[in-house]
Structure formats: structure tokens, C-alpha cells
Amino acid sequence: MSEAGGGRGCGCRVPQRAPWNLVAATAALCLVLATSVCTARAAPMSREEKQKLGNQVLEMFDHAYGNYMEHAYPADELMPLTCRGRVRGQEPSRGDVDDALGKFSLTLIDSLDTLVVLNKTKEFEDAVRKVLRDVNLDNDVVVSVFETNIRVLGGLLGGHSLAIMLKEKGEHMQWYNDELLQMAKQLGYKLLPAFNTTSGLPYPRINLKFGIRKPEARTGTETDTCTACAGTLILEFAALSRFTGATVFEEYARKALDFLWEKRQRSSNLVGVTINIHTGDWVRKDSGVGAGIDSYYEYLLKAYVLLGDDSFLERFNTHYDAIMRYISQPPLLLDVHIHKPMLNARTWMDSLLAFFPGLQVLKGDIRPAIETHEMLYQVIKKHNFLPEAFTTDFRVHWAQHPLRPEFAESTYFLYKATGDPYYLEVGKTLIENLNKYARVPCGFAAMKDVRTGSHEDRMDSFFLAEMFKYLYLLFADKEDIIFDIEDYIFTTEAHLLPLWLSTTNRSSSKKNTTSEYTELDDSNFDWTCPNTQILFPNDPLYAQSIREPLKNVVDKSCPRGIIRVEESFRSGAKPPLRARDFMATNPEHLEILKKMGVSLIHLKDGRVQLVQHAIQAASSIDAEDGLRFMQEMIELSSQQQKEQQLPPRAVQIISHPFFGRVVLTAGPAQFGLDLSKHKETRGFVASSKPYNGCSELTNPEAVMGKIALIQRGQCMFAEKARNIQNAGAIGGIVIDDNEGSSSDTAPLFQMAGDGKDTDDIKIPMLFLFSKEGSIILDAIREHEEVEVLLSDKARDRDPEMENEDQPSSENDSQNQSAEQILSLSQAVDLVDQETPESTLDPHSESSSPTDIEEASGFSPSEQISSSTESLETTSLDGECTDLDNQLQEQSETEEDSNPNVSWGKKVQPIDSILADWNEDIEAFEMMEKDEL
């Protein structure tokens, strides 16, 4: 799905009153939830261990939900590092991601049906009462139509579905009289004005109080929306219509889906990422199964299941055939251009595509689901979490991880389909990683950088709505759940809608007969239950045999499919000019550049600038070659910069009561001990006097053998380092004197030398912005002795300390709320400079393209740029990155680690800090100007 993560599941029980077409739809998916289709497997997980893991999930949910209710409610979300609620307008804007917040207690509504799934019926009843008493849906705030639909409308409908189920059982909710449904209906009418467009596609945002276009609404001027934003409405809107009898909601959602189908690219049967809501023109012409499109495909299949409309299945099958033909390059799923589907649009994948194996399981296509899931699991084992984006050679592209549930979702469905206990072990790994790396005293914190282990003060509502639901269901037996989960279908936010809606208040909307469907020569599209002998051969090791070739794909293998475009570029034709071969003095090369629309300009300062104007290329093929050349040149240039750019470092507070859970992202120094090549430095901290460290210290006894804290300003960094080193300090932390500065909002700061020889400085020096520095200063004031670890990345917590540090009581959590403020920014995260939030918000309109300027790799004095008149980016890798050197460096780093420090031995060197991806992102945004 999109920003929310993805629920994407369904049961397969057929209601007694179901019509034939729903029976067919359900039968086609029955296999998904069949238990143990394969024969006996080796080493199954015992019931006792499954129960233990299930109870662990319950405790984790209690920790997250309890801290939200204690420290954040009635705010929309919990900020787990500062132990307070996130209120729209009271915190610095995070861009489009804040459009999910509407001052309507988002996390509580999103968690309603999770409480019932986890058998917390008393808490559910209390939560429903709080929603009815406290939640206001008439706020003067602009919200995302998509997010409000899947999280709030879906949450209210899911809560209503289970409330009436409990009431029918006669034990709980006897007082309930459809109050949640009435709130859902009120919200539905507030969203309807967004559909007031000529196309029927909704505006991406709406003001809950004033609607669209009114001066006080502050919205209604947008022209673009993402495909998922417009195509992920049918389940919630149709359910609202079926529950209430008001058909208008289902009709509007159907109209939007019909329009998207009509606008598909007819030759490839693919859809783009962004579309103009007035004209229907594709704004972003790249296509994949991740951010911006994902849940559109999901809802086509599930709409068929819930509503029984054959046209939805026909559309899904048509799209799925195109996906498997062009986008699927097992085990990869790579974006392509909708007009030229054999041409890859980028060489990286985003984490939202992790839902797709689960959808493939529902489709009945099990083999590619196993392959892609295994590839993703290998990435997770390498980085502990799935980065927001990673390259085709499995390097980190965007390092954030906001605790997304898509991979857990696919794991659940693969286990239900195969019965393979391997997927229980995968779920166990997810639980361990969440507790080990993301758990903080006030909840679970998103990862700011999976490489360093630093956190972000963020716990999205989808974490409670989806993650714990899927993990609990993974380990639960049928008797562990108080109702039959197979009677419901999961929405993309994992909210539960009953299948009996198929026969209630059916809409008069008719099947779309205006479209021509492509003839598909694919037996998998039969509308009958798939043959289990084909999907699951009589082999207990079937799934394992598919996974086995992929076990080392991340660390050792070059992924297949990356060079597909190379092979199909122009068979028999002369290969295009490659950036690595380019010579600025070669007349033939200059002529090729001209043909590709690339101009070479000599600047007065001696630099050479490359500028590409796609409209000046001799042909569209030459324009593509030009873009490809420019991208290669940018990457070649970035390689030179990497040698000079230092990665972020970590300051980890390891003393009581932190025990390594507080990780601060720090800027490195271009002098002193290099923490990436030497063992980490561990010690207690002490403030220097004078605090600026610009003269001989007057308290050398206080900093002797400790890590000195110094304030920035009034002298050179190297001078500060020498003064504290002379006083006997073993390391130094410089704290920014600019009050309020934070790595959340500022790029990495690297401390330079003083222009002199700095070889005399032997201690490590790190830089913290004011917000991060205040965390250490506050800890000193409260605990006096604070011990920290200076390293290239966060280390695992001390096992002995971990044993002592049991989940804190309610009082302990409250007492620690001020001291557990944490961390923060991925240092050189140029993605955050490009977009306010970490870019996987698929519903945000693409920002305006900007020129690309980067020091060129072919000469220290040369520069390249690309104009905004570019075509789609053609980021291609023709070679497999050799990871052996990286593995060797990792091994050497591990051998150098201090054996006396119990922080784990896994060290992942940071070989790329995203500086080279700044231009990649800008070029990706230039697809808005595509003229192909």
C-alpha cells in the first residue's frame, strides 16, 4: 500500500446467503487459508513455543498501546522518544506525512479491531466509549483523503463490524447501537466533496470542516493524485454503503476505479504513479507495485471478493499479467515505463512492495511470492529492518524504517498458504528485532537509520493497526481467536469487513462494459479453485527448494534481470556511449553527446558543465541514451565524492537506565581517531571548563579518562580537541551552540580541521546538534554519571543489562519519560532535504524538478548538470557490484572490536551515505516532464 502500510488479507468462508459470483470469488482464494497443504515438515514449532511468542506479541502491543493512552491520548499519535502526543500544528511540520493527522485520535481509532483480534474485549469496549465521547470529526484541518479513508473510516467500520459481532454473542457491547457506524457515515459525507472533479478522481486532500475550494478550506487547488490514492477507496466506501443503505459512497468509489481503468496504458496494461485528476493525463509515467500504486491492485482483487463483481477480477488479471510480464524479474520487482515497459525506470526498490508476495498468495501464484519474500528477508537479516528503499545490489538507498507491517503481512499469508514452519521463524525474527532495536521506554520508535540504529520520534498508527495483528495471527491457533477470522476480509490497513456485506444493500452499479479486456493466454486466470497439485506439489520441501537458491542473493549474488535492458536495447546496433568511456577532448564523443541532446559548456572558472535538453535530442531513443549517460556520469561523479565524505556516527548511552536504547546520530570529524577503522570508545562523560574548550581546561581532573563535552564556537574544532586531549580526555563530543538545532531538520555536520597538521589529535571527536546534546546534558543532571559509547554504528545492548532491564512498570515509564528523549537524524540524509518526509509517501504530488549539479567524476574541475526538460530517468546498472571487499572489511572490523564490550559482533560498514542519490531522486522527479 502506500504510506499506511498494507492490510491486504481475506478470509475464505462463504456466507450461506452468498450469490454464485461471491462463491466463485471466495473459492478462488480458499487455498490461501487452508492449513498444511504440504505434507509433514521437519522441525515444526511446538504449540508451547507458538503460545509463548503469541503472548510476547500481546505484551508488545500492551507496551505500545498503553504508552499511547498514557502519554499521548487524545492526540493522533505517540512520540515515543519524548513520551508525548503528536498534535498537528504543535510540532514541526513533516510535510505530506502529517496529512494523516486530523486531531481525531487517529491511533485509538486505528487500533479498535486490533483489540478484539488480540482478545482484549474489555479494552475494546472502553476504547469505543472513548471514541464516542471524545473524538470530533469536524475539525478545521486539511487531511489526506486516502489516509483518512483507510485509517479512520476503515477503523470505524472495522470497530463497528466487531462490535456487532460481540453484541450478537451476548457477552459484550450490549449497549452498542451502531454509534461507530453513524460516525463513519458522518465522515463519509465529509469526504464526498473531494470527488467533485470532471474525472471522478478525488482531490488528494480535503478540509474536514470546510470541504474543498472555499477560501477557508486552504485546499482544492491540487491537480495531481497518486493511483493508489484514487484507487484505494472501494472497500471502505462500498462497506459504508452496504452497512447504511446509502449507495452514493460505493458509486463514487466505483467511478474513480472505472476512470483509472480507462486511463491505463493500453499497449502495456500498466498504470502510472501520478495522474491529473482533471484531464486524466499521466504525470508520472513509471509503474511498479510499490509506493503510489500498490493498494490499487490489492483493492481490485479484494473488491471482487467482497462485492462479487466480475469486472474487478478481469481488471486485476489483466494488470497482473502485465506485472509478471514486465515488472517481475524474480526475485526483484523493478519499476518500468508504462510506454516502454522493457525499460527499467530505476535501479532501486521501495519497502512498500513487501506487501506484494501476500497479494500473490491470495492470487494463488505461490512461487514468485516465495522468491520475493525470501529476497526481502535476506535484506532484513542484513540490516535488521527493511530500509525504505534499497538498490538492486541490495545497498541501502533510503535508510529509514518507520516500522512498516507489509513484510509481516506477507509472512502471515505465506504461512497460511504453505504451513511451512520456516515462516514462524521469520516472524520470531521480526519480534526479536522490534524488541532489540526499536523498543524504547515509551513505546516503539521508528528507525531513522537502519545502518547506525538511530531512532526517530515517531510511532505511526499503522504499527498498532497492522503489525501486531499479523504477528499475533501468525502464531495463533483457531481457538486462540474469539471469532472466525475467515468470515472477514482485511482492508489495506488490516481493518476487518464481514463477507456477508456481499448480499446486503447491493449497489445498482453495473459492470463496466465500455472497456475492452485483453485476451490473456494464462490458465492461472481460471475462476475456479487452483489445483493444489500445481501450486503445492506433493513435496514437503517445496517452499524450501524455492528459497534455497536465494539464501545468499543479498551478500554474494548479482541479482538477475538487472541487465535485461542492456540486452534488449537495440540488438545489433552499436552500444551507446558509456560515461566511464567519455573523453571531453574526443570529437566523436562530443558529436554523440550532441545527438543525445547533451551540451558541454566551458565555465570561466575552468569547470566543464554538462547540460541535457531532451527535446534537442535527435530522437526519443537518443534522448533515453542521453538520460542514461547523465545518470551514469552522476554516479561516476559520486564515487569520487564518497572517498571524501564521511558517514554518520553514533553516540549510544549505555549506563542505567538507558542500557543502549538511546542512540544519537552524530557528525564525524575529519581528524582524530577514525571510529570506522578502530574499536569504539566507551567512557563516562564530563563537561569541560571552560565549556567552549578554547583554552587550557581548569578541571582536568574531571575529564581525565572520560569523554569531554564541549560547546561549539569561539575557536577551531581542532583546538578544542587538543585542549581536552591534553587534559587526559579519551574522546570529545562537541554540542552545537545554536539552540534548537536538530539532526531531524539539518544535514550532517562534519567537523573540519584548522588547516594545519592534525595528526597529533589521537582521540575521537563527534558533533551533536543542540537537541541531541541536551539529551546527554539532561541525563547528567538527573543521573550524574552517564556512560556512552562512541562508534560508527549502534551496538547491540549488553545482555547482562538487558536481563536487568525488564519492561518498565507504568510508574517507571512515567518517571523515565523526560530522560528517554532520543535521536534523531540520519545524518547525511539528502532524501529528507529533497522532500519533507522520507519520500515513500506515495500520495504526495511530485515536487518541481530541479537542476542536477554535481562535481564530475571525469575531472576534478569539471561539473555536470541536467536541465528540467529531461525525459524519464534511465538508471541502469550493467555490472554486478562486488561485495567481497565489503564482506572482508566487515570481517576485519569485527576482529578489531573490543572483546570486553558485550555489544554484539555484527558490524555493517557504511559504504554509501546517499550523497550520490540526491541527483538520482531529482532525476526521478523529472519524469513529470517526460515527453516520450
Side-chain angles (χ1 to χ4, degrees), residues 74-318:
D76 284 317
E77 290 180 343
L78 169 69
M79 299 173 68
L81 304 182
T82 51
C83 300
R84 68 179 192 270
R86 183 181 297 280
V87 179
R88 186 90 173 263
Q90 295 183 13
E91 301 292 336
S93 174
R94 300 176 299 168
D96 293 335
V97 72
D98 279 341
D99 289 342
L101 311 180
K103 298 182 180 179
F104 36 37
S105 301
L106 175 63
T107 298
L108 181 62
I109 293 177
D110 224 0
S111 304
L112 287 177
D113 51 6
T114 302
L115 290 166
V116 182
V117 172
L118 273 55
N119 199 13
K120 297 180 179 293
T121 51
K122 182 181 181 301
E123 291 87 342
F124 171 72
E125 195 156 355
D126 292 340
V128 172
R129 292 185 185 275
K130 285 186 172 66
V131 170
L132 301 180
R133 181 190 67 204
D134 300 335
V135 172
N136 177 23
L137 298 175
D138 195 39
N139 300 311
D140 180 12
V141 59
V142 176
V143 297
S144 162
V145 172
F146 169 85
E147 298 290 356
T148 304
N149 172 66
I150 65 172
R151 299 203 207 188
V152 186
L153 183 58
L156 292 171
L157 292 172
H160 171 70
S161 299
L162 297 189
I164 58 178
M165 178 274 297
L166 291 173
K167 184 177 181 179
E168 289 177 359
K169 288 180 176 291
E171 298 180 12
H172 301 278
M173 302 297 293
Q174 296 305 300
W175 55 269
Y176 182 71
N177 193 29
D178 294 349
E179 288 88 351
L180 290 177
L181 179 60
Q182 296 308 312
M183 290 184 67
K185 186 175 181 180
Q186 176 191 359
L187 180 59
Y189 278 117
K190 285 184 172 294
L191 296 179
L192 283 184
F195 292 84
N196 188 22
T197 61
T198 55
S199 65
L201 300 179
Y203 283 93
R205 300 175 185 86
I206 194 169
N207 188 297
L208 289 176
K209 188 176 183 68
F210 299 108
I212 294 286
R213 287 188 172 177
K214 297 179 182 178
E216 57 270 33
R218 306 185 304 282
T219 189
T221 60
E222 302 93 338
T223 59
D224 306 333
T225 193
C226 73
T227 300
C229 302
T232 312
L233 299 160
I234 187 64
L235 291 188
E236 293 83 1
F237 272 50
L240 184 57
S241 288
R242 304 295 174 96
F243 272 129
T244 64
T247 60
V248 62
F249 304 108
E250 183 174 342
E251 290 168 358
Y252 274 67
R254 281 177 175 267
K255 182 179 179 182
L257 272 181
D258 290 345
F259 189 83
L260 289 173
W261 170 252
E262 291 296 334
K263 291 299 179 180
R264 75 192 186 282
Q265 212 291 320
R266 297 304 177 100
S267 62
S268 66
N269 281 316
L270 295 172
V271 292
V273 173
T274 309
I275 190 171
N276 186 295
I277 60 176
H278 303 297
T279 66
D281 295 333
W282 291 110
V283 180
R284 283 265 305 275
K285 300 184 178 70
D286 47 310
S287 184
V289 296
I293 303 180
D294 46 4
S295 48
Y296 162 69
Y297 295 133
E298 174 190 2
Y299 270 37
L300 284 177
L301 181 57
K302 291 183 179 179
Y304 170 60
V305 177
L306 184 63
L307 307 178
D309 188 330
D310 298 345
S311 67
F312 291 130
L313 182 62
E314 293 177 22
R315 297 179 193 183
F316 174 79
N317 284 341
T318 301

Side-chain angles (χ1 to χ4, degrees), residues 490-507:
F490 284 114
T491 70
T492 197
E493 188 79 359
H495 293 308
L496 295 168
L497 300 176
L499 289 175
W500 55 257
L501 287 175
S502 61
T503 59
T504 303
N505 295 322
R506 302 186 67 184
S507 170

Side-chain angles (χ1 to χ4, degrees), residues 728-744:
I730 61 174
I733 298 175
V734 178
I735 299 176
D736 194 9
D737 59 348
N738 182 14
E739 186 176 354
S741 64
S742 168
S743 59
D744 281 333

Side-chain angles (χ1 to χ4, degrees), residues 268-273 285-290 293-294 297 319-338 340-346 348-349 353 356 360 372 392 560-562 564:
S268 66
N269 281 316
L270 295 172
V271 292
V273 173
K285 300 184 178 70
D286 47 310
S287 184
V289 296
I293 303 180
D294 46 4
Y297 295 133
H319 286 314
Y320 188 78
D321 176 69
I323 290 168
M324 300 309 292
R325 189 186 306 271
Y326 304 119
I327 296 172
S328 177
Q329 301 173 41
L332 310 180
L333 293 164
L334 294 178
D335 285 17
V336 299
H337 299 278
I338 59 176
K340 295 182 178 296
M342 295 302 293
L343 184 64
N344 287 336
R346 61 190 188 190
W348 48 270
M349 295 166 281
L353 60 77
F356 197 67
Q360 289 179 305
T372 299
T392 51
R560 292 182 296 152
I562 300 176
R564 181 184 66 172

Side-chain angles (χ1 to χ4, degrees), residues 720-869:
K720 298 176 187 286
R722 292 188 179 98
N723 287 332
I724 63 172
Q725 179 176 271
N726 293 336
I730 61 174
I733 298 175
V734 178
I735 299 176
D736 194 9
D737 59 348
N738 182 14
E739 186 176 354
S741 64
S742 168
S743 59
D744 281 333
T745 56
L748 175 71
F749 186 90
Q750 297 191 62
M751 296 184 289
D754 54 5
K756 305 175 184 177
D757 186 4
T758 55
D759 289 344
D760 60 313
I761 301 176
K762 306 296 183 182
I763 61 174
M765 295 290 293
L766 296 182
F767 177 87
L768 292 178
F769 284 104
S770 173
K771 183 177 178 182
E772 289 88 332
S774 65
I775 296 173
I776 294 182
L777 296 176
D778 290 344
I780 293 175
R781 281 191 287 270
E782 185 156 351
H783 303 286
E784 295 185 3
E785 290 194 343
V786 175
E787 189 178 14
V788 303
L789 186 76
L790 311 184
S791 60
D792 63 332
K793 67 175 292 185
R795 300 296 186 257
D796 294 348
R797 302 171 193 168
D798 193 318
E800 295 180 3
M801 295 180 179
E802 196 68 24
N803 292 334
E804 298 172 6
D805 182 32
Q806 299 301 324
S808 57
S809 67
E810 186 173 315
N811 292 334
D812 290 337
S813 296
Q814 189 170 4
N815 293 336
Q816 294 174 1
S817 63
E819 66 200 33
Q820 299 295 340
I821 308 173
L822 170 72
S823 171
L824 305 164
S825 162
Q826 161 188 351
V828 183
D829 193 353
L830 293 178
V831 176
D832 283 345
Q833 297 178 35
E834 286 301 307
T835 56
E837 181 55 26
S838 57
T839 58
L840 273 206
D841 183 0
H843 330 108
S844 60
E845 293 77 40
S846 301
S847 57
S848 300
T850 55
D851 289 346
I852 299 176
E853 293 190 4
E854 181 73 37
S856 171
F858 58 84
S859 172
S861 63
E862 294 174 344
Q863 181 184 23
I864 63 175
S865 73
S866 179
S867 83
T868 60
E869 301 171 18

